[in-house]
PDB file of all heavy atoms in Angstrom:
ATOM      1  N   LEU A  17     -20.158  -4.210  18.339  1.00 93.00           N
ATOM      2  CA  LEU A  17     -21.229  -4.519  19.292  1.00 93.00           C
ATOM      3  C   LEU A  17     -21.543  -3.316  20.183  1.00 93.00           C
ATOM      4  O   LEU A  17     -22.709  -3.062  20.512  1.00 93.00           O
ATOM      5  CB  LEU A  17     -20.848  -5.739  20.135  1.00 93.00           C
ATOM      6  CG  LEU A  17     -20.778  -7.060  19.377  1.00 93.00           C
ATOM      7  CD1 LEU A  17     -20.251  -8.160  20.284  1.00 93.00           C
ATOM      8  CD2 LEU A  17     -22.138  -7.435  18.819  1.00 93.00           C
ATOM      9  N   CYS A  18     -20.523  -2.553  20.563  1.00 92.00           N
ATOM     10  CA  CYS A  18     -20.756  -1.335  21.357  1.00 92.00           C
ATOM     11  C   CYS A  18     -21.567  -0.321  20.569  1.00 92.00           C
ATOM     12  O   CYS A  18     -22.514   0.281  21.108  1.00 92.00           O
ATOM     13  CB  CYS A  18     -19.429  -0.709  21.776  1.00 92.00           C
ATOM     14  SG  CYS A  18     -18.574  -1.576  23.085  1.00 92.00           S
ATOM     15  N   MET A  19     -21.218  -0.133  19.309  1.00 91.00           N
ATOM     16  CA  MET A  19     -21.953   0.834  18.492  1.00 91.00           C
ATOM     17  C   MET A  19     -23.397   0.380  18.274  1.00 91.00           C
ATOM     18  O   MET A  19     -24.328   1.195  18.265  1.00 91.00           O
ATOM     19  CB  MET A  19     -21.251   1.056  17.148  1.00 91.00           C
ATOM     20  CG  MET A  19     -19.899   1.723  17.273  1.00 91.00           C
ATOM     21  SD  MET A  19     -19.872   3.238  18.247  1.00 91.00           S
ATOM     22  CE  MET A  19     -20.857   4.305  17.248  1.00 91.00           C
ATOM     23  N   ALA A  20     -23.601  -0.929  18.105  1.00 92.00           N
ATOM     24  CA  ALA A  20     -24.964  -1.450  17.967  1.00 92.00           C
ATOM     25  C   ALA A  20     -25.754  -1.227  19.257  1.00 92.00           C
ATOM     26  O   ALA A  20     -26.935  -0.855  19.221  1.00 92.00           O
ATOM     27  CB  ALA A  20     -24.930  -2.933  17.607  1.00 92.00           C
ATOM     28  N   ALA A  21     -25.104  -1.437  20.407  1.00 92.00           N
ATOM     29  CA  ALA A  21     -25.782  -1.207  21.683  1.00 92.00           C
ATOM     30  C   ALA A  21     -26.117   0.274  21.862  1.00 92.00           C
ATOM     31  O   ALA A  21     -27.224   0.616  22.320  1.00 92.00           O
ATOM     32  CB  ALA A  21     -24.898  -1.689  22.840  1.00 92.00           C
ATOM     33  N   PHE A  22     -25.198   1.161  21.479  1.00 92.00           N
ATOM     34  CA  PHE A  22     -25.479   2.604  21.561  1.00 92.00           C
ATOM     35  C   PHE A  22     -26.658   2.977  20.669  1.00 92.00           C
ATOM     36  O   PHE A  22     -27.493   3.803  21.039  1.00 92.00           O
ATOM     37  CB  PHE A  22     -24.256   3.427  21.170  1.00 92.00           C
ATOM     38  CG  PHE A  22     -23.142   3.391  22.175  1.00 92.00           C
ATOM     39  CD1 PHE A  22     -21.856   3.710  21.799  1.00 92.00           C
ATOM     40  CD2 PHE A  22     -23.365   3.049  23.499  1.00 92.00           C
ATOM     41  CE1 PHE A  22     -20.818   3.698  22.712  1.00 92.00           C
ATOM     42  CE2 PHE A  22     -22.342   3.025  24.422  1.00 92.00           C
ATOM     43  CZ  PHE A  22     -21.062   3.354  24.029  1.00 92.00           C
ATOM     44  N   GLU A  23     -26.718   2.373  19.501  1.00 91.00           N
ATOM     45  CA  GLU A  23     -27.819   2.669  18.575  1.00 91.00           C
ATOM     46  C   GLU A  23     -29.156   2.227  19.163  1.00 91.00           C
ATOM     47  O   GLU A  23     -30.136   2.958  19.127  1.00 91.00           O
ATOM     48  CB  GLU A  23     -27.567   1.963  17.239  1.00 91.00           C
ATOM     49  CG  GLU A  23     -28.594   2.250  16.180  1.00 91.00           C
ATOM     50  CD  GLU A  23     -28.565   3.683  15.682  1.00 91.00           C
ATOM     51  OE1 GLU A  23     -27.477   4.262  15.598  1.00 91.00           O
ATOM     52  OE2 GLU A  23     -29.648   4.214  15.379  1.00 91.00           O
ATOM     53  N   VAL A  24     -29.192   1.020  19.728  1.00 93.00           N
ATOM     54  CA  VAL A  24     -30.434   0.518  20.333  1.00 93.00           C
ATOM     55  C   VAL A  24     -30.826   1.384  21.529  1.00 93.00           C
ATOM     56  O   VAL A  24     -32.003   1.750  21.690  1.00 93.00           O
ATOM     57  CB  VAL A  24     -30.277  -0.969  20.742  1.00 93.00           C
ATOM     58  CG1 VAL A  24     -31.443  -1.447  21.583  1.00 93.00           C
ATOM     59  CG2 VAL A  24     -30.131  -1.834  19.500  1.00 93.00           C
ATOM     60  N   LEU A  25     -29.866   1.730  22.375  1.00 91.00           N
ATOM     61  CA  LEU A  25     -30.161   2.578  23.527  1.00 91.00           C
ATOM     62  C   LEU A  25     -30.644   3.961  23.092  1.00 91.00           C
ATOM     63  O   LEU A  25     -31.519   4.554  23.725  1.00 91.00           O
ATOM     64  CB  LEU A  25     -28.930   2.724  24.424  1.00 91.00           C
ATOM     65  CG  LEU A  25     -28.537   1.473  25.216  1.00 91.00           C
ATOM     66  CD1 LEU A  25     -27.200   1.681  25.901  1.00 91.00           C
ATOM     67  CD2 LEU A  25     -29.613   1.113  26.219  1.00 91.00           C
ATOM     68  N   ASP A  26     -30.085   4.463  21.987  1.00 90.00           N
ATOM     69  CA  ASP A  26     -30.501   5.769  21.488  1.00 90.00           C
ATOM     70  C   ASP A  26     -31.922   5.709  20.919  1.00 90.00           C
ATOM     71  O   ASP A  26     -32.665   6.690  20.994  1.00 90.00           O
ATOM     72  CB  ASP A  26     -29.515   6.263  20.427  1.00 90.00           C
ATOM     73  CG  ASP A  26     -29.516   7.769  20.301  1.00 90.00           C
ATOM     74  OD1 ASP A  26     -29.655   8.438  21.346  1.00 90.00           O
ATOM     75  OD2 ASP A  26     -29.361   8.273  19.177  1.00 90.00           O
ATOM     76  N   TRP A  27     -32.313   4.550  20.356  1.00 92.00           N
ATOM     77  CA  TRP A  27     -33.696   4.404  19.869  1.00 92.00           C
ATOM     78  C   TRP A  27     -34.681   4.438  21.033  1.00 92.00           C
ATOM     79  O   TRP A  27     -35.726   5.066  20.960  1.00 92.00           O
ATOM     80  CB  TRP A  27     -33.883   3.080  19.133  1.00 92.00           C
ATOM     81  CG  TRP A  27     -33.307   3.020  17.763  1.00 92.00           C
ATOM     82  CD1 TRP A  27     -33.002   4.054  16.945  1.00 92.00           C
ATOM     83  CD2 TRP A  27     -32.969   1.827  17.065  1.00 92.00           C
ATOM     84  NE1 TRP A  27     -32.490   3.589  15.773  1.00 92.00           N
ATOM     85  CE2 TRP A  27     -32.455   2.221  15.807  1.00 92.00           C
ATOM     86  CE3 TRP A  27     -33.033   0.468  17.353  1.00 92.00           C
ATOM     87  CZ2 TRP A  27     -32.031   1.308  14.860  1.00 92.00           C
ATOM     88  CZ3 TRP A  27     -32.615  -0.427  16.409  1.00 92.00           C
ATOM     89  CH2 TRP A  27     -32.115  -0.021  15.173  1.00 92.00           C
ATOM     90  N   PHE A  28     -34.345   3.700  22.106  1.00 93.00           N
ATOM     91  CA  PHE A  28     -35.272   3.603  23.231  1.00 93.00           C
ATOM     92  C   PHE A  28     -35.305   4.868  24.094  1.00 93.00           C
ATOM     93  O   PHE A  28     -36.324   5.178  24.689  1.00 93.00           O
ATOM     94  CB  PHE A  28     -34.927   2.393  24.113  1.00 93.00           C
ATOM     95  CG  PHE A  28     -35.381   1.097  23.515  1.00 93.00           C
ATOM     96  CD1 PHE A  28     -34.467   0.170  23.046  1.00 93.00           C
ATOM     97  CD2 PHE A  28     -36.740   0.798  23.406  1.00 93.00           C
ATOM     98  CE1 PHE A  28     -34.890  -1.027  22.493  1.00 93.00           C
ATOM     99  CE2 PHE A  28     -37.168  -0.392  22.856  1.00 93.00           C
ATOM    100  CZ  PHE A  28     -36.253  -1.308  22.389  1.00 93.00           C
ATOM    101  N   ASN A  29     -34.180   5.556  24.193  1.00 91.00           N
ATOM    102  CA  ASN A  29     -34.127   6.756  25.018  1.00 91.00           C
ATOM    103  C   ASN A  29     -33.340   7.848  24.283  1.00 91.00           C
ATOM    104  O   ASN A  29     -32.158   8.056  24.554  1.00 91.00           O
ATOM    105  CB  ASN A  29     -33.487   6.429  26.372  1.00 91.00           C
ATOM    106  CG  ASN A  29     -33.687   7.527  27.379  1.00 91.00           C
ATOM    107  OD1 ASN A  29     -34.239   8.584  27.067  1.00 91.00           O
ATOM    108  ND2 ASN A  29     -33.226   7.283  28.606  1.00 91.00           N
ATOM    109  N   PRO A  30     -33.989   8.557  23.367  1.00 89.00           N
ATOM    110  CA  PRO A  30     -33.260   9.554  22.575  1.00 89.00           C
ATOM    111  C   PRO A  30     -32.770  10.743  23.405  1.00 89.00           C
ATOM    112  O   PRO A  30     -31.857  11.455  22.980  1.00 89.00           O
ATOM    113  CB  PRO A  30     -34.273  10.000  21.524  1.00 89.00           C
ATOM    114  CG  PRO A  30     -35.587   9.561  22.015  1.00 89.00           C
ATOM    115  CD  PRO A  30     -35.365   8.427  22.963  1.00 89.00           C
ATOM    116  N   TYR A  31     -33.343  10.962  24.585  1.00 91.00           N
ATOM    117  CA  TYR A  31     -32.928  12.097  25.414  1.00 91.00           C
ATOM    118  C   TYR A  31     -31.558  11.884  26.058  1.00 91.00           C
ATOM    119  O   TYR A  31     -30.924  12.849  26.483  1.00 91.00           O
ATOM    120  CB  TYR A  31     -33.979  12.385  26.492  1.00 91.00           C
ATOM    121  CG  TYR A  31     -35.297  12.799  25.883  1.00 91.00           C
ATOM    122  CD1 TYR A  31     -36.400  11.968  25.949  1.00 91.00           C
ATOM    123  CD2 TYR A  31     -35.413  14.025  25.235  1.00 91.00           C
ATOM    124  CE1 TYR A  31     -37.602  12.339  25.379  1.00 91.00           C
ATOM    125  CE2 TYR A  31     -36.612  14.407  24.654  1.00 91.00           C
ATOM    126  CZ  TYR A  31     -37.711  13.562  24.728  1.00 91.00           C
ATOM    127  OH  TYR A  31     -38.885  13.932  24.150  1.00 91.00           O
ATOM    128  N   MET A  32     -31.109  10.637  26.147  1.00 91.00           N
ATOM    129  CA  MET A  32     -29.766  10.360  26.691  1.00 91.00           C
ATOM    130  C   MET A  32     -28.670  10.704  25.677  1.00 91.00           C
ATOM    131  O   MET A  32     -27.526  10.909  26.055  1.00 91.00           O
ATOM    132  CB  MET A  32     -29.631   8.892  27.103  1.00 91.00           C
ATOM    133  CG  MET A  32     -30.440   8.507  28.324  1.00 91.00           C
ATOM    134  SD  MET A  32     -29.888   9.325  29.814  1.00 91.00           S
ATOM    135  CE  MET A  32     -28.354   8.533  30.102  1.00 91.00           C
ATOM    136  N   ASN A  33     -29.020  10.732  24.399  1.00 90.00           N
ATOM    137  CA  ASN A  33     -28.114  11.145  23.328  1.00 90.00           C
ATOM    138  C   ASN A  33     -26.815  10.321  23.329  1.00 90.00           C
ATOM    139  O   ASN A  33     -25.706  10.859  23.346  1.00 90.00           O
ATOM    140  CB  ASN A  33     -27.812  12.642  23.442  1.00 90.00           C
ATOM    141  CG  ASN A  33     -27.191  13.193  22.172  1.00 90.00           C
ATOM    142  OD1 ASN A  33     -27.321  12.592  21.110  1.00 90.00           O
ATOM    143  ND2 ASN A  33     -26.530  14.331  22.289  1.00 90.00           N
ATOM    144  N   PHE A  34     -26.956   8.994  23.294  1.00 87.00           N
ATOM    145  CA  PHE A  34     -25.776   8.119  23.319  1.00 87.00           C
ATOM    146  C   PHE A  34     -24.880   8.327  22.108  1.00 87.00           C
ATOM    147  O   PHE A  34     -23.661   8.282  22.220  1.00 87.00           O
ATOM    148  CB  PHE A  34     -26.202   6.651  23.397  1.00 87.00           C
ATOM    149  CG  PHE A  34     -26.607   6.224  24.761  1.00 87.00           C
ATOM    150  CD1 PHE A  34     -27.941   6.010  25.064  1.00 87.00           C
ATOM    151  CD2 PHE A  34     -25.668   6.028  25.746  1.00 87.00           C
ATOM    152  CE1 PHE A  34     -28.321   5.609  26.324  1.00 87.00           C
ATOM    153  CE2 PHE A  34     -26.036   5.628  27.010  1.00 87.00           C
ATOM    154  CZ  PHE A  34     -27.371   5.425  27.303  1.00 87.00           C
ATOM    155  N   LEU A  35     -25.459   8.550  20.935  1.00 88.00           N
ATOM    156  CA  LEU A  35     -24.640   8.695  19.724  1.00 88.00           C
ATOM    157  C   LEU A  35     -24.042  10.090  19.588  1.00 88.00           C
ATOM    158  O   LEU A  35     -23.154  10.302  18.776  1.00 88.00           O
ATOM    159  CB  LEU A  35     -25.470   8.347  18.484  1.00 88.00           C
ATOM    160  CG  LEU A  35     -25.915   6.887  18.415  1.00 88.00           C
ATOM    161  CD1 LEU A  35     -26.768   6.653  17.194  1.00 88.00           C
ATOM    162  CD2 LEU A  35     -24.723   5.966  18.402  1.00 88.00           C
ATOM    163  N   GLY A  36     -24.516  11.041  20.363  1.00 89.00           N
ATOM    164  CA  GLY A  36     -23.982  12.396  20.285  1.00 89.00           C
ATOM    165  C   GLY A  36     -22.862  12.667  21.274  1.00 89.00           C
ATOM    166  O   GLY A  36     -22.246  13.736  21.242  1.00 89.00           O
ATOM    167  N   LEU A  37     -22.567  11.732  22.140  1.00 89.00           N
ATOM    168  CA  LEU A  37     -21.507  11.915  23.133  1.00 89.00           C
ATOM    169  C   LEU A  37     -20.126  11.830  22.476  1.00 89.00           C
ATOM    170  O   LEU A  37     -19.936  11.099  21.492  1.00 89.00           O
ATOM    171  CB  LEU A  37     -21.613  10.848  24.221  1.00 89.00           C
ATOM    172  CG  LEU A  37     -22.872  10.888  25.092  1.00 89.00           C
ATOM    173  CD1 LEU A  37     -22.897   9.691  26.020  1.00 89.00           C
ATOM    174  CD2 LEU A  37     -22.916  12.176  25.886  1.00 89.00           C
ATOM    175  N   PRO A  38     -19.162  12.554  23.008  1.00 92.00           N
ATOM    176  CA  PRO A  38     -17.802  12.508  22.433  1.00 92.00           C
ATOM    177  C   PRO A  38     -17.176  11.114  22.495  1.00 92.00           C
ATOM    178  O   PRO A  38     -16.428  10.731  21.601  1.00 92.00           O
ATOM    179  CB  PRO A  38     -17.007  13.493  23.283  1.00 92.00           C
ATOM    180  CG  PRO A  38     -18.002  14.357  23.955  1.00 92.00           C
ATOM    181  CD  PRO A  38     -19.261  13.571  24.061  1.00 92.00           C
ATOM    182  N   ILE A  39     -17.481  10.341  23.530  1.00 90.00           N
ATOM    183  CA  ILE A  39     -16.896   8.999  23.644  1.00 90.00           C
ATOM    184  C   ILE A  39     -17.396   8.083  22.533  1.00 90.00           C
ATOM    185  O   ILE A  39     -16.635   7.308  21.963  1.00 90.00           O
ATOM    186  CB  ILE A  39     -17.145   8.389  25.046  1.00 90.00           C
ATOM    187  CG1 ILE A  39     -16.383   7.068  25.219  1.00 90.00           C
ATOM    188  CG2 ILE A  39     -18.616   8.113  25.277  1.00 90.00           C
ATOM    189  CD1 ILE A  39     -14.939   7.276  25.475  1.00 90.00           C
ATOM    190  N   SER A  40     -18.688   8.176  22.205  1.00 89.00           N
ATOM    191  CA  SER A  40     -19.203   7.322  21.134  1.00 89.00           C
ATOM    192  C   SER A  40     -18.664   7.771  19.777  1.00 89.00           C
ATOM    193  O   SER A  40     -18.417   6.935  18.901  1.00 89.00           O
ATOM    194  CB  SER A  40     -20.726   7.311  21.134  1.00 89.00           C
ATOM    195  OG  SER A  40     -21.241   8.603  20.919  1.00 89.00           O
ATOM    196  N   THR A  41     -18.439   9.059  19.598  1.00 90.00           N
ATOM    197  CA  THR A  41     -17.835   9.544  18.362  1.00 90.00           C
ATOM    198  C   THR A  41     -16.390   9.046  18.242  1.00 90.00           C
ATOM    199  O   THR A  41     -15.957   8.625  17.165  1.00 90.00           O
ATOM    200  CB  THR A  41     -17.862  11.085  18.311  1.00 90.00           C
ATOM    201  OG1 THR A  41     -19.192  11.528  18.530  1.00 90.00           O
ATOM    202  CG2 THR A  41     -17.368  11.603  16.986  1.00 90.00           C
ATOM    203  N   GLY A  42     -15.657   9.044  19.339  1.00 93.00           N
ATOM    204  CA  GLY A  42     -14.290   8.515  19.348  1.00 93.00           C
ATOM    205  C   GLY A  42     -14.254   7.023  19.072  1.00 93.00           C
ATOM    206  O   GLY A  42     -13.402   6.540  18.321  1.00 93.00           O
ATOM    207  N   LEU A  43     -15.179   6.286  19.695  1.00 91.00           N
ATOM    208  CA  LEU A  43     -15.243   4.842  19.443  1.00 91.00           C
ATOM    209  C   LEU A  43     -15.578   4.553  17.991  1.00 91.00           C
ATOM    210  O   LEU A  43     -15.049   3.607  17.394  1.00 91.00           O
ATOM    211  CB  LEU A  43     -16.274   4.190  20.370  1.00 91.00           C
ATOM    212  CG  LEU A  43     -15.887   4.087  21.841  1.00 91.00           C
ATOM    213  CD1 LEU A  43     -17.048   3.522  22.647  1.00 91.00           C
ATOM    214  CD2 LEU A  43     -14.660   3.230  22.018  1.00 91.00           C
ATOM    215  N   LEU A  44     -16.449   5.349  17.407  1.00 92.00           N
ATOM    216  CA  LEU A  44     -16.795   5.165  15.997  1.00 92.00           C
ATOM    217  C   LEU A  44     -15.585   5.433  15.105  1.00 92.00           C
ATOM    218  O   LEU A  44     -15.344   4.704  14.139  1.00 92.00           O
ATOM    219  CB  LEU A  44     -17.961   6.079  15.608  1.00 92.00           C
ATOM    220  CG  LEU A  44     -18.468   5.945  14.179  1.00 92.00           C
ATOM    221  CD1 LEU A  44     -18.979   4.532  13.921  1.00 92.00           C
ATOM    222  CD2 LEU A  44     -19.551   6.952  13.907  1.00 92.00           C
ATOM    223  N   ALA A  45     -14.791   6.454  15.431  1.00 94.00           N
ATOM    224  CA  ALA A  45     -13.584   6.753  14.650  1.00 94.00           C
ATOM    225  C   ALA A  45     -12.569   5.612  14.751  1.00 94.00           C
ATOM    226  O   ALA A  45     -11.969   5.211  13.741  1.00 94.00           O
ATOM    227  CB  ALA A  45     -12.965   8.058  15.128  1.00 94.00           C
ATOM    228  N   VAL A  46     -12.394   5.063  15.945  1.00 94.00           N
ATOM    229  CA  VAL A  46     -11.468   3.936  16.127  1.00 94.00           C
ATOM    230  C   VAL A  46     -11.971   2.712  15.373  1.00 94.00           C
ATOM    231  O   VAL A  46     -11.188   2.004  14.720  1.00 94.00           O
ATOM    232  CB  VAL A  46     -11.281   3.620  17.631  1.00 94.00           C
ATOM    233  CG1 VAL A  46     -10.517   2.325  17.835  1.00 94.00           C
ATOM    234  CG2 VAL A  46     -10.564   4.760  18.322  1.00 94.00           C
ATOM    235  N   PHE A  47     -13.270   2.471  15.428  1.00 94.00           N
ATOM    236  CA  PHE A  47     -13.864   1.341  14.722  1.00 94.00           C
ATOM    237  C   PHE A  47     -13.633   1.471  13.215  1.00 94.00           C
ATOM    238  O   PHE A  47     -13.266   0.505  12.546  1.00 94.00           O
ATOM    239  CB  PHE A  47     -15.358   1.254  15.041  1.00 94.00           C
ATOM    240  CG  PHE A  47     -16.083   0.193  14.276  1.00 94.00           C
ATOM    241  CD1 PHE A  47     -15.751  -1.137  14.411  1.00 94.00           C
ATOM    242  CD2 PHE A  47     -17.122   0.525  13.431  1.00 94.00           C
ATOM    243  CE1 PHE A  47     -16.421  -2.112  13.716  1.00 94.00           C
ATOM    244  CE2 PHE A  47     -17.803  -0.439  12.727  1.00 94.00           C
ATOM    245  CZ  PHE A  47     -17.446  -1.764  12.859  1.00 94.00           C
ATOM    246  N   CYS A  48     -13.837   2.672  12.681  1.00 93.00           N
ATOM    247  CA  CYS A  48     -13.625   2.893  11.245  1.00 93.00           C
ATOM    248  C   CYS A  48     -12.158   2.686  10.875  1.00 93.00           C
ATOM    249  O   CYS A  48     -11.848   2.082   9.837  1.00 93.00           O
ATOM    250  CB  CYS A  48     -14.082   4.292  10.848  1.00 93.00           C
ATOM    251  SG  CYS A  48     -15.862   4.504  10.939  1.00 93.00           S
ATOM    252  N   LEU A  49     -11.249   3.155  11.708  1.00 94.00           N
ATOM    253  CA  LEU A  49      -9.819   2.979  11.454  1.00 94.00           C
ATOM    254  C   LEU A  49      -9.439   1.499  11.452  1.00 94.00           C
ATOM    255  O   LEU A  49      -8.706   1.030  10.564  1.00 94.00           O
ATOM    256  CB  LEU A  49      -8.997   3.730  12.501  1.00 94.00           C
ATOM    257  CG  LEU A  49      -7.490   3.618  12.365  1.00 94.00           C
ATOM    258  CD1 LEU A  49      -7.014   4.317  11.101  1.00 94.00           C
ATOM    259  CD2 LEU A  49      -6.812   4.210  13.575  1.00 94.00           C
ATOM    260  N   LEU A  50      -9.950   0.743  12.420  1.00 93.00           N
ATOM    261  CA  LEU A  50      -9.662  -0.696  12.467  1.00 93.00           C
ATOM    262  C   LEU A  50     -10.234  -1.415  11.252  1.00 93.00           C
ATOM    263  O   LEU A  50      -9.611  -2.327  10.705  1.00 93.00           O
ATOM    264  CB  LEU A  50     -10.219  -1.308  13.748  1.00 93.00           C
ATOM    265  CG  LEU A  50      -9.472  -0.972  15.034  1.00 93.00           C
ATOM    266  CD1 LEU A  50     -10.208  -1.551  16.233  1.00 93.00           C
ATOM    267  CD2 LEU A  50      -8.058  -1.497  14.983  1.00 93.00           C
ATOM    268  N   ALA A  51     -11.411  -1.019  10.822  1.00 93.00           N
ATOM    269  CA  ALA A  51     -12.020  -1.643   9.643  1.00 93.00           C
ATOM    270  C   ALA A  51     -11.184  -1.383   8.397  1.00 93.00           C
ATOM    271  O   ALA A  51     -10.974  -2.287   7.573  1.00 93.00           O
ATOM    272  CB  ALA A  51     -13.439  -1.122   9.458  1.00 93.00           C
ATOM    273  N   VAL A  52     -10.675  -0.163   8.264  1.00 93.00           N
ATOM    274  CA  VAL A  52      -9.826   0.168   7.108  1.00 93.00           C
ATOM    275  C   VAL A  52      -8.526  -0.630   7.161  1.00 93.00           C
ATOM    276  O   VAL A  52      -8.072  -1.167   6.136  1.00 93.00           O
ATOM    277  CB  VAL A  52      -9.556   1.687   7.054  1.00 93.00           C
ATOM    278  CG1 VAL A  52      -8.461   2.025   6.073  1.00 93.00           C
ATOM    279  CG2 VAL A  52     -10.827   2.433   6.706  1.00 93.00           C
ATOM    280  N   LEU A  53      -7.898  -0.741   8.333  1.00 92.00           N
ATOM    281  CA  LEU A  53      -6.655  -1.509   8.464  1.00 92.00           C
ATOM    282  C   LEU A  53      -6.862  -2.978   8.110  1.00 92.00           C
ATOM    283  O   LEU A  53      -6.029  -3.587   7.431  1.00 92.00           O
ATOM    284  CB  LEU A  53      -6.097  -1.386   9.883  1.00 92.00           C
ATOM    285  CG  LEU A  53      -5.447  -0.060  10.239  1.00 92.00           C
ATOM    286  CD1 LEU A  53      -5.062  -0.047  11.715  1.00 92.00           C
ATOM    287  CD2 LEU A  53      -4.230   0.191   9.374  1.00 92.00           C
ATOM    288  N   GLN A  54      -7.967  -3.541   8.570  1.00 90.00           N
ATOM    289  CA  GLN A  54      -8.231  -4.941   8.257  1.00 90.00           C
ATOM    290  C   GLN A  54      -8.523  -5.144   6.779  1.00 90.00           C
ATOM    291  O   GLN A  54      -8.129  -6.159   6.193  1.00 90.00           O
ATOM    292  CB  GLN A  54      -9.389  -5.461   9.096  1.00 90.00           C
ATOM    293  CG  GLN A  54      -9.007  -5.687  10.519  1.00 90.00           C
ATOM    294  CD  GLN A  54     -10.149  -6.243  11.336  1.00 90.00           C
ATOM    295  OE1 GLN A  54     -11.309  -6.131  10.958  1.00 90.00           O
ATOM    296  NE2 GLN A  54      -9.825  -6.835  12.457  1.00 90.00           N
ATOM    297  N   ALA A  55      -9.188  -4.192   6.142  1.00 90.00           N
ATOM    298  CA  ALA A  55      -9.455  -4.302   4.712  1.00 90.00           C
ATOM    299  C   ALA A  55      -8.157  -4.230   3.913  1.00 90.00           C
ATOM    300  O   ALA A  55      -7.956  -5.001   2.962  1.00 90.00           O
ATOM    301  CB  ALA A  55     -10.413  -3.197   4.271  1.00 90.00           C
ATOM    302  N   ILE A  56      -7.254  -3.333   4.303  1.00 91.00           N
ATOM    303  CA  ILE A  56      -5.963  -3.227   3.619  1.00 91.00           C
ATOM    304  C   ILE A  56      -5.168  -4.509   3.790  1.00 91.00           C
ATOM    305  O   ILE A  56      -4.584  -5.030   2.836  1.00 91.00           O
ATOM    306  CB  ILE A  56      -5.173  -2.009   4.148  1.00 91.00           C
ATOM    307  CG1 ILE A  56      -5.851  -0.715   3.694  1.00 91.00           C
ATOM    308  CG2 ILE A  56      -3.717  -2.052   3.702  1.00 91.00           C
ATOM    309  CD1 ILE A  56      -5.298   0.527   4.352  1.00 91.00           C
ATOM    310  N   ARG A  57      -5.168  -5.047   5.005  1.00 88.00           N
ATOM    311  CA  ARG A  57      -4.454  -6.303   5.259  1.00 88.00           C
ATOM    312  C   ARG A  57      -5.040  -7.440   4.438  1.00 88.00           C
ATOM    313  O   ARG A  57      -4.316  -8.256   3.868  1.00 88.00           O
ATOM    314  CB  ARG A  57      -4.517  -6.657   6.733  1.00 88.00           C
ATOM    315  CG  ARG A  57      -3.851  -7.988   7.028  1.00 88.00           C
ATOM    316  CD  ARG A  57      -4.085  -8.406   8.463  1.00 88.00           C
ATOM    317  NE  ARG A  57      -3.506  -9.683   8.706  1.00 88.00           N
ATOM    318  CZ  ARG A  57      -4.200 -10.794   8.894  1.00 88.00           C
ATOM    319  NH1 ARG A  57      -5.503 -10.760   8.871  1.00 88.00           N
ATOM    320  NH2 ARG A  57      -3.596 -11.938   9.117  1.00 88.00           N
ATOM    321  N   LEU A  58      -6.361  -7.507   4.356  1.00 87.00           N
ATOM    322  CA  LEU A  58      -7.013  -8.561   3.588  1.00 87.00           C
ATOM    323  C   LEU A  58      -6.633  -8.473   2.119  1.00 87.00           C
ATOM    324  O   LEU A  58      -6.287  -9.481   1.493  1.00 87.00           O
ATOM    325  CB  LEU A  58      -8.534  -8.472   3.746  1.00 87.00           C
ATOM    326  CG  LEU A  58      -9.329  -9.494   2.942  1.00 87.00           C
ATOM    327  CD1 LEU A  58      -9.160 -10.865   3.545  1.00 87.00           C
ATOM    328  CD2 LEU A  58     -10.771  -9.109   2.881  1.00 87.00           C
TER     329      LEU A  58
END
Side-chain angles (χ1 to χ4, degrees):
L17 292 174
C18 286
M19 294 309 294
F22 289 159
E23 183 68 35
V24 170
L25 289 172
D26 205 37
W27 284 339
F28 283 111
N29 193 356
Y31 297 111
M32 290 295 289
N33 195 20
F34 281 107
L35 295 178
L37 295 174
I39 187 77
S40 61
T41 307
L43 288 176
L44 183 61
V46 171
F47 175 62
C48 291
L49 179 67
L50 287 175
V52 168
L53 286 175
Q54 286 182 340
I56 291 170
R57 177 188 177 251
L58 178 72

